[in-house]
Amino acid sequence: MSYIQLLEKNLSITRKSLINHKLYSKLDSKQKLIDFMESHVFAVWDFMSLIKALQKNLTCTDIPWIPNENRLAGRLVNEIVLAEESDVDLNGDPKSHFELYLESMIQIGASTKKIEDFISEIKNSKSYTKSVEKININPIVKEFMDFTFNIIDTNKNHVIASVFTFGREDLIPDMFVEIVKKLSINDEIKADNLIYYLERHIEIDADEHGPMALKMIEELCGKDKEKWKEAEIASKKGLEMRIKLWDYIENKIS
């Protein structure tokens, strides 16, 4: 069994708990979906800082430019960033997945005020820590983002890449898409943008980003057993943090 196969095996139980979380079955109304999105949007946002941290470390974003030795990982992360930061919407216009999510929220009537206030603070202070203290968000949501930025602060590429790969957006199951589709059929909500966002994520993650990310981890960890262990610990913690976030949202909408 390869290192990456062993890592996936060791994470399988925790990952299964997340994919089978009871939250999904409780998203049976427009208001519950709105409540979900108003919390989840912060996880959509901080996801981008994970991938941008990898791009900063694994490619050259400085001027003057110099070659980076992480050739394969650099190529993979650039391709992932291209889709996440500059995908296209239903009209074919370039947009980040975060912006697609905001449009989805607006379309179904969810409030974007807190996340937009947060982004405004980020633009002014250039600091996550200062900005998050100035907005009124639930402590569980803040704890989730704090974990993300603590991972980034390790500056360990194999750890950041592992949390990015195993603890994040590839975990939106197909059943979530089906729930949204069923709600929209009943004319309760108009959710074209959300359905597109979810289906786009599932398509890209399964066919492109997932395999790319696994190759990236293999390159970054190599045959270093300590790095593989650190990757496993961080990935499991990332999954547990998502479960904790899901638990909070489930309790909120119940």
Side-chain angles (χ1 to χ4, degrees):
M1 184 179 292
S2 68
Y3 283 115
I4 195 70
Q5 289 173 330
L6 182 61
L7 176 56
E8 289 181 296
K9 179 183 177 182
N10 291 343
L11 295 175
S12 61
I13 295 176
T14 310
R15 190 175 187 278
K16 185 177 180 180
S17 296
L18 184 53
I19 291 175
N20 295 329
H21 199 283
K22 291 184 291 184
L23 169 65
Y24 298 107
S25 64
K26 295 186 178 181
L27 294 171
D28 55 6
S29 72
K30 176 182 176 180
Q31 187 56 53
K32 289 180 179 180
L33 186 59
I34 286 174
D35 289 340
F36 170 83
M37 295 185 76
E38 288 178 355
S39 294
H40 179 237
V41 66
F42 288 93
V44 176
W45 172 79
D46 79 343
F47 167 80
M48 284 304 303
S49 290
L50 278 174
I51 188 61
K52 296 301 283 188
L54 289 172
Q55 186 180 43
K56 179 182 177 183
N57 292 346
L58 299 175
T59 71
C60 181
T61 58
D62 297 325
I63 300 173
W65 177 88
I66 57 172
N68 192 295
E69 63 183 11
N70 299 289
R71 297 178 185 87
L72 174 60
R75 176 183 174 86
L76 296 177
V77 76
N78 275 335
E79 289 192 23
I80 293 172
V81 168
L82 175 62
E84 295 290 345
E85 193 172 38
S86 304
D87 205 355
V88 293
D89 63 15
L90 281 167
N91 298 318
D93 297 322
K95 282 191 178 74
S96 67
H97 284 181
F98 172 72
E99 291 168 305
L100 290 176
Y101 198 86
L102 286 185
E103 289 185 350
S104 301
M105 292 178 68
I106 293 169
Q107 187 180 46
I108 71 165
S111 172
T112 59
K113 186 180 187 307
K114 283 188 179 181
I115 186 66
E116 289 180 336
D117 287 348
F118 180 54
I119 296 297
S120 294
E121 292 290 346
I122 291 285
K123 289 179 180 178
N124 291 330
S125 70
K126 310 296 182 184
S127 166
Y128 162 75
T129 304
K130 292 179 181 178
S131 299
V132 78
E133 295 296 339
K134 290 185 177 182
I135 60 169
N136 181 27
I137 59 172
N138 183 274
I140 301 298
V141 178
K142 180 182 180 298
E143 185 182 3
F144 182 90
M145 293 195 293
D146 286 347
F147 169 77
T148 297
F149 282 87
N150 287 337
I151 289 295
I152 291 170
D153 288 343
T154 68
N155 207 35
K156 294 181 177 181
N157 293 324
H158 60 287
V159 170
I160 300 172
S162 297
V163 172
F164 166 83
T165 301
F166 293 109
R168 301 307 302 240
E169 298 306 296
D170 64 314
L171 294 165
I172 297 176
D174 292 346
M175 63 183 291
F176 190 14
V177 180
E178 295 306 313
I179 290 167
V180 176
K181 284 182 177 179
K182 287 178 182 177
L183 287 176
S184 60
I185 288 173
N186 295 328
D187 295 326
E188 184 181 2
I189 60 172
K190 182 173 175 56
D192 296 351
N193 289 338
L194 180 57
I195 292 171
Y196 174 78
Y197 166 87
L198 294 169
E199 289 183 335
R200 187 75 178 132
H201 253 291
I202 290 171
E203 175 189 355
I204 293 176
D205 288 337
D207 297 338
E208 301 173 32
H209 292 184
M212 284 182 192
L214 293 177
K215 288 181 181 179
M216 181 164 56
I217 292 172
E218 287 184 301
E219 179 177 88
L220 294 174
C221 289
K223 295 183 179 180
D224 189 324
K225 292 183 179 179
E226 182 63 28
K227 286 185 176 180
W228 282 106
K229 188 61 180 178
E230 288 180 340
E232 179 183 334
I233 292 171
S235 298
K236 185 175 182 182
K237 181 63 175 178
L239 291 168
E240 290 170 348
M241 291 303 295
R242 179 61 72 100
I243 290 172
K244 190 171 183 179
L245 179 64
W246 265 206
D247 287 345
Y248 156 67
I249 298 175
E250 181 195 356
N251 290 333
K252 181 181 179 181
I253 68 176
S254 293

